[in-house]
Amino acid sequence: MTIFSKIIAGEIPSYKCAESDKFYAFLDINPLAQGHTLVVPKHEVDYIFDLSDEELADMVVFAKKVALAIQRAFPCRKVGMAVLGLEVNHAHIHLVPLQSEGDMDFRKPKLQLDADTMKQTADKILAEFER
Ligand code: 5GP
C-alpha cells in the first residue's frame, strides 16, 4: 500500500482539497507555493502512463476542476501542472499556483506553512471546488 493509498483511506491525515468517486486531491506537505495540490487516483497505480486512456482522461478533467478552484482561492497568473513521480510510487499530478516560472522549480527550498495555514488553504480550495 502506498503512502497516498493510506492518505486516501484516512489512515494518514491530509489536507483535503477535493474528492470524487475516483480521485482525491490534497495539499502537498512540502509546497512549492501556497495551494500546491496533488491529484491522485484512488485506484493504486505507480506510473501515470500505465493508467488506461479513460482513467488518464478522467484524471486530467478532475485536475482541471481542482486547478480552477485553486485559482479562484489563490489568484495567480496560471496554475502549473506537472508529473514527476520519482519519490512516491502512486500516480499523481502536481498543481502549483504560478506567479513566475521559478514557482515550478522543484529544486527550490519548499515553503514551511504551519498546520493552521495548511488547513485554511485546503478549506478555501475545497469550498471553491464545491461551489
Ligand atoms: P514526486 O513523487 O512527484 O517526485 O514527489 C512526491 C510529492 O509528494 C512531493 O512533492 C512530496 O512533498 C509529497 N509528499 C510525500 N509524502 C507526502 C505525504 O505523506 N503527504 C503529503 N501531503 N505529501 C507528500
Side-chain angles (χ1 to χ4, degrees):
M1 199 177 192
T2 66
I3 192 151
F4 288 173
S5 287
K6 290 181 183 167
I7 285 174
I8 293 159
E11 293 172 20
I12 292 177
S14 66
Y15 297 99
K16 174 177 158 175
C17 301
E19 186 168 15
S20 73
D21 55 339
K22 292 187 195 155
F23 305 103
Y24 188 70
F26 56 104
L27 292 183
D28 192 306
I29 205 72
N30 295 123
L32 286 166
Q34 188 175 11
H36 180 175
T37 299
L38 301 175
V39 171
V40 299
K42 290 183 174 175
H43 165 55
E44 191 176 302
V45 172
D46 172 3
Y47 188 35
I48 194 164
F49 297 126
D50 282 336
L51 289 169
S52 70
D53 291 357
E54 192 186 346
E55 277 178 310
L56 180 59
D58 287 350
M59 185 170 170
V60 173
V61 170
F62 179 79
K64 174 183 172 180
K65 290 180 188 151
V66 179
L68 295 175
I70 292 170
Q71 197 161 14
R72 286 196 298 272
F74 295 96
C76 51
R77 287 179 62 194
K78 290 190 174 169
V79 172
M81 180 168 120
V83 174
L84 285 81
L86 297 175
E87 184 189 323
V88 178
N89 295 324
H90 185 137
H92 53 281
I93 292 172
H94 293 258
L95 296 173
V96 184
L98 300 179
Q99 302 296 352
S100 70
E101 193 182 5
D103 292 336
M104 204 80 182
D105 180 356
F106 281 82
R107 292 166 302 188
K108 76 173 189 177
K110 306 300 185 293
L111 294 183
Q112 300 290 328
L113 301 178
D114 62 37
D116 280 353
T117 306
M118 290 289 274
K119 173 90 172 73
Q120 284 165 19
T121 301
D123 285 351
K124 217 170 160 186
I125 295 168
L126 182 61
E128 290 296 338
F129 180 80
E130 289 178 340
R131 209 148 60 95

